[in-house]
Amino acid sequence: MKRKFRGATTVAIGMGVALAAAGCAGGSDQGDADGTVTLTVWTNSTTGPGLEFFTNAAKAYHEKDPNVTVSVQSIQNEDLDGKLQTALNSSSAPDIFLQRGGGKMQAMVEADQLQALHLSDEATANAGEAALAGESIDGTVYAVPFDFLPEGIYYSQDLFTQAGIDGTPTTLSDLEAVVQKLKDAGIEPIAVGAKDAWPAAHWYYNFALRECSGDVMNETAKSLAFDDACWTKAGEDLEDFLATDPFNDGFLTTPAQQGAGSSAGLLANHKAAMELMGGWDPGVIASLTPDQKPLPDLGWFPFPTIDGGQGDPTALLGGIDGYSVSKDAPKQATEFLEFLLTKEQQEAYATAFNAIPVNKDAQSGVTDPYNVSALEAFNKSGFVSQYLDTLYGANVGNAMNTAVVDLFAGKGSAADIASQSNDAAAKG
């Protein structure tokens, strides 16, 4: 899945020294006799503004605390997981590292490879309850969140106006009415890149977010047992929605993000009115417009509510970029992460990554209308979940995604999604 990953070089800033690291050294200098400490940070920010942010943050922290040097080691995204697992297993882990979350974080906790993070009151307030919940297991925080990319429905305001649609839908029945109005106006309502599987699966994820309580979703992350009736009910909701014929012609062979004929391209070129997608979508859409500039009429609204659902109606799915602290890291590692949650650092982070920062005091720089709408929804959200194929791990996630695509293709049933997910979990 193409999600907002940053790429990465190795830079160490501190005590006036820049270290060019050819390898991936792990573990901190736990403290010299003079009280100095060197922290290692592994990130996948390779070049440009992202790497510059971490370089500047390391320098700023050293100026704040001259006893701490922060060595930022940038690793190519595709290589990060393997190198990190090797380092964790060999007790040479970096002090701080990018945390994928979900099943990967759960496995690290079970292997006793992470520190439980007890943040200061100020840092807790800076991060916010919803974002911290997305980086927690059983109420314990295991990663510090920096930003959140809420998933929602991107739409063309011009096509909505053309179809006589005022405002945006807030309930599922409202969405179905919007779909019908668009069809009546000769406009394809929703683009979905089902060829890539995960965009179709995200429709099920969002229905599950509305039907299942947060407790059920979190408990399922531990048990991998999809036995609660809400999982099948979410599939039934999706099945009923599919019956309204809401998606573009040929959606089963439509890619998600490659070319003008992709689901993002259909929205970018006003060939479809909506697309359910994560927060990286505006950039993809901009690259696919005729002039390769941002779509000027792009808007955003959260996934609609469902009558009778057990989920929090304000809950959001999305990607959380957070960083964990390895088990043997010194206390300065957590203190550095708390520093990155401060207003000034969060503003710099948001600028570097074109992201929605978790610190509300740093959110004034978010001005694009679609991001403003997403930000408002995020700040109202009582529950945040990572994508289900992240939350429940690759084996279960792939089985779930396949079962959802089968439902889209008319080859499976709502009950198959839960049962096939259970089967994948049983295989390990």
Side-chain angles (χ1 to χ4, degrees), residues 154-316:
Y154 289 91
Y155 73 102
S156 163
Q157 298 176 63
D158 289 351
L159 292 184
F160 268 41
T161 299
Q162 184 179 325
I165 300 166
D166 295 323
T168 55
T170 59
T171 67
L172 181 58
S173 59
D174 289 343
L175 179 60
E176 291 172 344
V178 164
V179 165
Q180 189 58 53
K181 282 190 174 184
L182 289 163
K183 290 165 68 174
D184 291 344
I187 300 168
E188 289 197 326
I190 305 172
V192 62
K195 178 181 179 180
D196 291 327
W198 59 266
H202 280 215
W203 281 90
Y204 175 75
Y205 296 177
N206 279 277
F207 278 116
L209 189 70
R210 293 289 179 257
E211 290 291 359
C212 300
S213 70
D215 288 343
V216 167
M217 298 193 81
N218 287 334
E219 179 57 37
T220 303
K222 294 184 289 184
S223 67
L224 294 182
F226 296 82
D227 299 327
D228 193 286
C230 69
W231 295 109
T232 297
K233 182 63 169 64
E236 292 169 350
D237 291 342
L238 175 56
E239 194 168 33
D240 291 342
F241 187 63
L242 285 166
T244 69
D245 192 24
F247 297 115
N248 58 287
D249 288 341
F251 61 83
L252 288 173
T253 57
T254 299
Q257 300 174 325
Q258 301 82 33
S262 66
S263 57
L266 293 176
L267 180 54
N269 293 279
H270 288 155
K271 301 299 184 182
M274 294 178 278
E275 184 188 26
L276 175 67
M277 192 54 67
W280 61 85
D281 207 29
V284 177
I285 290 170
S287 72
L288 297 172
T289 59
D291 59 2
Q292 294 190 332
K293 294 182 179 180
L295 189 67
D297 66 316
L298 187 65
W300 182 97
F301 59 90
F303 196 84
T305 61
I306 297 175
D307 289 342
Q310 299 302 303
D312 185 331
T314 68
L316 292 171

Side-chain angles (χ1 to χ4, degrees), residues 308-326:
Q310 299 302 303
D312 185 331
T314 68
L316 292 171
L317 278 175
I320 301 174
D321 285 326
Y323 281 74
S324 287
V325 175
S326 58

Side-chain angles (χ1 to χ4, degrees), residues 37-204:
V37 172
T38 298
L39 300 175
T40 56
V41 179
W42 284 15
T43 180
N44 63 348
S45 295
T46 48
T47 59
L51 182 59
E52 184 178 357
F53 164 77
F54 280 104
T55 300
N56 291 340
K59 182 185 295 184
Y61 194 73
H62 180 64
E63 292 174 354
K64 178 177 179 289
D65 185 350
N67 287 325
V68 179
T69 298
V70 180
S71 171
V72 180
Q73 301 186 12
S74 182
I75 301 170
Q76 193 64 35
N77 180 68
E78 291 75 13
D79 298 332
L80 180 60
D81 288 358
K83 290 180 181 296
L84 177 60
Q85 195 58 59
T86 298
L88 288 169
N89 291 342
S90 62
S91 300
S92 60
D95 301 300
I96 299 168
F97 57 88
L98 177 68
Q99 176 56 255
R100 303 293 195 191
K104 290 183 181 295
M105 186 166 76
Q106 177 78 40
M108 292 176 189
V109 171
E110 291 174 354
D112 195 26
Q113 294 170 330
L114 301 183
Q115 285 187 28
L117 302 180
H118 304 287
L119 303 180
S120 68
D121 291 344
E122 180 182 1
T124 298
N126 285 343
E129 181 179 350
L132 285 174
E135 299 283 29
S136 299
I137 297 174
D138 292 336
T140 299
V141 178
Y142 288 100
V144 172
F146 291 158
D147 68 3
F148 182 65
L149 297 171
E151 178 156 274
I153 298 179
Y154 289 91
Y155 73 102
S156 163
Q157 298 176 63
D158 289 351
L159 292 184
F160 268 41
T161 299
Q162 184 179 325
I165 300 166
D166 295 323
T168 55
T170 59
T171 67
L172 181 58
S173 59
D174 289 343
L175 179 60
E176 291 172 344
V178 164
V179 165
Q180 189 58 53
K181 282 190 174 184
L182 289 163
K183 290 165 68 174
D184 291 344
I187 300 168
E188 289 197 326
I190 305 172
V192 62
K195 178 181 179 180
D196 291 327
W198 59 266
H202 280 215
W203 281 90
Y204 175 75

